[in-house]
């Protein structure tokens, strides 16, 4: 099974490589997005958007905001063309899902470029641009998936997370609001500092969905668990063993329902994993088991 997992990641990496080449070959965008799987299309689209925005910011160094204003108009025209494709009644259901997710990302990208124009962003190092989730394609980098030429770096502020090439499927994506962006920033900074994040708020406000969506954005497996007051520390110990070995994210729903005496042991378990992660250990002792 671990070989199946390795091949899944290699296949995903290979697919994104080829999708990137196809995009650069000068094919029309509407045709390109119909030829590739949804996950690869979004990853490549975000990478190209990052390049375009940085080029536009540099172009407008003498007159801040002029380059991004041009780009915003081009992106707006691009969104309208994409919408035309999805309006065709003959479009297959899977393709509709894929293009729907792409439109969500495109609309956010366009709004973001408009905001950078208003703020007159003059350099690519300005915080307003650095605070966005940016994708960088690096040729011949230290790939998380060996055997292929490039890596995809997902950057936000000072955090730099490697795209994990987990196949997340053809899924729809959350509409990105300023609050979603704020959650992304906090969670990804927490990962960068080897901490966990704890979004809190009323029921049904999208805490779990936001966490899952960030997992989809950087293609990492995200396991959602519903906690109840009947949860014991032995069950959590088993869960953490599997989690630490697989390198996935976990999202604990209703974490506050766990009994206090169990929570204190869970805190110890989490601390053990976080300490090992901060020290970059390949193997560590976890409550009597070497992982």
């Amino acid at each position: 099974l671990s070989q199946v997992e390795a091949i899944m990641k290699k296949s995903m990496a290979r697919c994104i490589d080829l999708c990137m080449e196809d995009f650069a070959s000068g094919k029309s965008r509407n045709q390109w997005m119909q030829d590739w799987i949804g996950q690869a299309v979004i990853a490549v689209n975000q990478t190209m958007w990052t390049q375009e925005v940085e080029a536009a910011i540099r172009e407008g160094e003498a007159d801040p905001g002029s380059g991004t204003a041009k780009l915003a108009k081009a992106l707006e025209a691009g969104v309208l063309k994409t919408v035309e494709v999805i309006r065709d009644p003959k479009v297959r259901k899977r393709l509709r899902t894929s293009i729907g997710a792409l439109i969500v990302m495109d609309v956010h990208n366009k709004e973001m470029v408009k905001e950078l124009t208003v703020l007159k962003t003059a350099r690519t190092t300005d915080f307003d641009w650095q605070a966005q989730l940016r994708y960088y394609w690096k040729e011949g980098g230290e790939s998380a998936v060996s055997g292929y030429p490039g890596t995809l770096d997902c950057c936000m502020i000072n955090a730099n997370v490697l795209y994990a090439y987990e196949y997340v499927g053809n899924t729809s994506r959350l509409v990105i609001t300023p609050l979603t962006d704020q959650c992304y920033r906090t969670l990804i900074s927490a990962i960068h500092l080897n901490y966990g994040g704890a979004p809190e708020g009323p029921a049904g406000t999208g805490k779990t969905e936001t966490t899952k969506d960030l997992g989809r954005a950087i293609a990492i497996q995200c396991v959602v668990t519903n906690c109840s007051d009947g949860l014991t520390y032995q069950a959590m110990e088993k869960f953490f063993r599997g989690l630490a070995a697989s390198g996935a994210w976990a999202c604990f729903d209703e974490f506050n329902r766990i009994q206090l005496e169990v929570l204190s042991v869970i805190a110890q378990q989490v601390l053990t994993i976080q300490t090992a992660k901060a020290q970059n250990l390949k193997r560590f002792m976890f409550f009597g088991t070497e992982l």
Side-chain angles (χ1 to χ4, degrees), residues 214-276:
L214 181 59
R216 281 190 207 121
I218 59 177
I220 198 160
Q221 187 187 2
C222 184
V223 186
V224 179
T225 313
N226 245 19
C227 302
S228 68
D229 43 13
L231 205 61
T232 62
Y233 71 89
Q234 290 98 331
M236 288 303 278
E237 197 177 301
K238 280 182 187 169
F239 186 90
F240 280 129
R241 275 183 194 154
L243 190 69
S246 70
W249 281 6
C251 174
F252 298 107
D253 243 357
E254 310 270 356
F255 198 58
N256 49 340
R257 283 168 53 186
I258 301 173
Q259 291 173 354
L260 273 179
E261 52 271 28
V262 179
L263 259 183
S264 60
V265 184
I266 292 176
Q268 200 62 44
Q269 293 169 346
V270 171
L271 185 67
T272 310
I273 294 176
Q274 283 181 348
T275 312

Side-chain angles (χ1 to χ4, degrees), residues 87-102:
R87 279 190 175 156
D88 183 354
K90 292 178 192 154
V91 170
R92 301 190 311 280
K93 192 179 174 186
R94 282 182 199 161
L95 184 60
R96 195 176 289 277
T97 309
S98 165
I99 296 175
L102 184 66

Side-chain angles (χ1 to χ4, degrees), residues 189-196 270 273-275 277-280:
S189 300
I191 294 290
H192 179 64
L193 300 167
N194 296 311
Y195 289 125
V270 171
I273 294 176
Q274 283 181 348
T275 312
K277 194 170 176 293
Q279 293 170 350
N280 281 326

Side-chain angles (χ1 to χ4, degrees), residues 32-43:
W32 166 79
M33 67 193 179
Q34 293 179 50
D35 290 349
W36 294 93
I37 62 169
Q39 189 179 339
V41 166
I42 287 181

Side-chain angles (χ1 to χ4, degrees), residues 29-75:
R29 189 167 180 265
N30 281 6
Q31 186 54 49
W32 166 79
M33 67 193 179
Q34 293 179 50
D35 290 349
W36 294 93
I37 62 169
Q39 189 179 339
V41 166
I42 287 181
V44 173
N45 184 60
Q46 294 305 95
T47 310
M48 293 304 173
W49 172 72
T50 305
Q51 282 181 12
E52 284 169 2
V53 176
E54 295 204 339
I57 292 173
R58 288 192 196 100
E59 187 191 315
E61 267 178 359
D63 175 17
S66 58
T68 44
K70 265 190 240 164
L71 180 61
K73 281 181 186 162
L75 290 174

